[in-house]
Every structure is written in structure tokens, then in C-alpha cells.
Amino acid sequence: MPRPNKKRHPVKLVREAIGLSQKEFAAVVGHSKDTIQAIEIGRHNPSLALAEKIFVQTGAIPKTLRKVDTIPLDIEGEPYTRDSYQRWTTTINSRSARLAGRERGAIKYLNWLVATLQYAALRAGKLFAVQYQLDRHVAELVREFGLKRNIAGLLRDRPHTRFGWLQMFDWRPGEPSRLMRRYVVRGEKGLSFGQQEIFGFSRAHRDRRAAISARTKLQSGTERPCGLAGRQTTTTLNVKLRSKRSPRHRVRRKRHTRCPRHL
């Protein structure tokens, strides 16, 4: 019979210091109870993504959460305790006036960072791919932290914003356009959404576009012997207007409008 492992996982030490059950801790970090239980009994170590999720909720350093034989540390480099959790939550979740300027600065920095990323993607010709990935990750964050109701409340509180929470990209498999990209338009009544068709047309729309293209080619399909388009058209009109002249004159007229050999 194998001996029980006396070493306790650092994730378990953090959970016990906070005073939460496995189910409650799993809800806080956004994972299932089975995942937390498998980590605590040593079945597998947490990924870097999970360790970072635990960090943003508890303040425990991610590097100290991934191995069984390590002691979890707080942001000051001390062993993680209940006091570490209280200091972390007080600093991060405080809504006092003293931190208002700092929070506004963090929001401005994130706005600048996202805008810089998109301009860099535009310069590299990858704006669509970057926007799609950003939209997908933002939607994942909204679902993970339950922010949809809060976002809808903020949009209602703004006097010139009359649309709800919608993702930038929307798939519509059964409609003429299968992928739509939304963008914000400022009008007389405030902000509203515009839509851009990215990919896919209905069969009727494709047939209509093909017919227009074929009609355009048919109208401009006259073969010209040279690049002097204006001169060629003028000569043809003159020949038609002077149709009462002799055939010899028409032949001589056409002969004079031929393209030079050096062209």
C-alpha cells in the first residue's frame, strides 16, 4: 500500500490560509472543484494560466504555486498567510478616493496599450486577426467574471450611449452574411452600431454580382488595336457620321488612324 504524501501542495496552503472550501476556492479562481482537488492531492501541477488566476485573486506569487515542495509566498516575499490575503484584497479592491486617480491611470494605460497593439497590427497587415482574437478573449473574460450585467449598467448610465453589450464579431450561419464586424458610429442621437460584412454572401447576391460583372465586361469588351482609346472612339464616330461618303474615303480614314509601328 503506497504511503500517503505528507507534502501539502502550495495551492492547498493558500486555500487554507484564506479559509475557503475547495468548491468556494474553485468558484473564486474560475475552475472546477475536481481540478482543485486533483492539484491538491498531487495528481498534476497547475498550469501557468491557473497559477496567474490564483495570483490575481489571492496575491500568491504564481512561481511558488506550481511545485509541491515549495512554500507559497506573497508579493512581499513572505510565506503566505491570512494577513497576506487581507492586505492584497484591501489594496486591489479598495474604492477609496485615494486610489481613484491610480485606477483611472490604469484604465488609460490599458486603452493606450490596446490602441497601440491595433495600430501595430494595422501596420503589419494583421488588424483583422488581432481584432478577432481580442474580441474572443474579451468575451471570455466577461463570461468568466460575470461582467455582462455590470457592462450593461454602465452603458445605461451614460447619456449618449444607447446600445447594449455586444461582441465586435458575430456569426450568422443562416443569413446572407456569415460574419459581421460591428463598429461605433457617432450621430445626432449619440452613439450607435454600424455593421461591416466580412465574409460570405447569399447565392442570389453572388449571382447578381456575377451578372453585373459580366454586363460591365460586355460593354467594355471592344478590342482596341492600341492604347489610344480616345482617338479610336472619335475615329469610329466620324466614320459613322460620314457614312454617305465613298467607301474609298472610309478606307483611307481608317488607314490614317492605325497605330504607328513603333508603338
Side-chain angles (χ1 to χ4, degrees):
M1 180 178 180
R3 295 181 180 180
N5 188 7
K6 294 183 179 181
K7 296 181 180 180
R8 295 192 298 173
H9 201 281
V11 173
K12 184 176 182 180
L13 296 176
V14 171
R15 179 180 64 80
E16 291 179 349
I18 297 174
L20 298 177
S21 63
Q22 289 183 347
K23 184 177 181 179
E24 294 171 341
F25 187 75
V28 168
V29 300
H31 277 261
S32 64
K33 177 185 174 182
D34 295 337
T35 301
I36 302 301
Q37 185 178 11
I39 291 172
E40 291 186 357
I41 64 178
R43 185 174 299 171
H44 61 82
N45 290 324
S47 62
L48 180 59
L50 177 55
E52 290 177 347
K53 288 182 179 180
I54 296 175
F55 163 71
V56 297
Q57 296 294 336
T58 63
I61 301 301
K63 187 177 179 180
T64 62
L65 298 175
R66 304 190 64 188
K67 294 183 180 180
V68 179
D69 56 349
T70 57
I71 298 175
L73 303 177
D74 58 16
I75 56 175
E76 298 178 355
E78 300 293 333
Y80 194 87
T81 60
R82 174 73 179 180
D83 187 55
S84 302
Y85 177 69
Q86 291 178 350
R87 291 199 309 272
W88 174 260
T89 53
T90 301
T91 304
I92 296 302
N93 299 326
S94 175
R95 297 183 180 179
S96 62
R98 182 173 59 87
L99 294 177
R102 185 184 304 173
E103 300 302 326
R104 286 197 299 269
I107 292 174
K108 289 181 180 179
Y109 172 73
L110 284 177
N111 290 336
W112 171 84
L113 192 63
V114 172
T116 304
L117 174 65
Q118 296 199 69
Y119 278 113
L122 179 62
R123 177 177 295 183
K126 299 179 180 179
L127 179 61
F128 172 79
V130 170
Q131 284 185 339
Y132 186 80
Q133 293 295 330
L134 279 175
D135 183 59
R136 188 171 61 86
H137 289 302
V138 167
E140 183 179 353
L141 288 173
V142 170
R143 288 192 300 269
E144 180 179 348
F145 293 101
L147 300 177
K148 190 170 184 179
R149 183 178 300 176
N150 295 5
I151 293 176
L154 287 173
L155 293 175
R156 283 195 301 268
D157 294 340
R158 294 181 178 181
H160 299 292
T161 305
R162 297 305 178 198
F163 48 79
W165 161 250
L166 293 172
Q167 292 182 227
M168 177 182 290
F169 293 96
D170 183 23
W171 285 97
R172 299 179 179 179
E175 297 188 9
S177 298
R178 290 186 287 173
L179 180 61
M180 303 293 295
R181 175 164 56 185
R182 297 187 178 93
Y183 55 92
V184 178
V185 180
R186 184 181 297 275
E188 297 180 354
K189 298 183 179 179
L191 300 179
S192 60
F193 271 131
Q195 291 187 347
Q196 177 188 5
E197 193 174 71
I198 298 297
F199 177 75
F201 302 98
S202 65
R203 182 176 297 276
H205 188 65
R206 287 199 303 269
D207 294 343
R208 186 163 57 252
R209 285 172 62 118
I212 293 173
S213 177
R215 193 181 310 118
T216 304
K217 290 181 179 180
L218 184 61
Q219 292 176 355
S220 61
T222 305
E223 296 184 0
R224 297 168 181 172
C226 66
L228 304 177
R231 184 176 177 183
Q232 177 74 16
T233 306
T234 305
T235 303
T236 306
L237 291 175
N238 291 336
V239 171
K240 289 183 179 179
L241 291 175
R242 299 173 183 178
S243 58
K244 295 183 179 180
R245 296 188 179 185
S246 61
R248 182 180 177 183
H249 177 79
R250 287 200 297 270
V251 171
R252 185 167 56 251
R253 186 67 177 176
K254 286 185 177 180
R255 185 180 305 164
H256 285 293
T257 58
R258 290 180 181 176
C259 293
R261 295 184 179 178
H262 65 274
L263 296 177

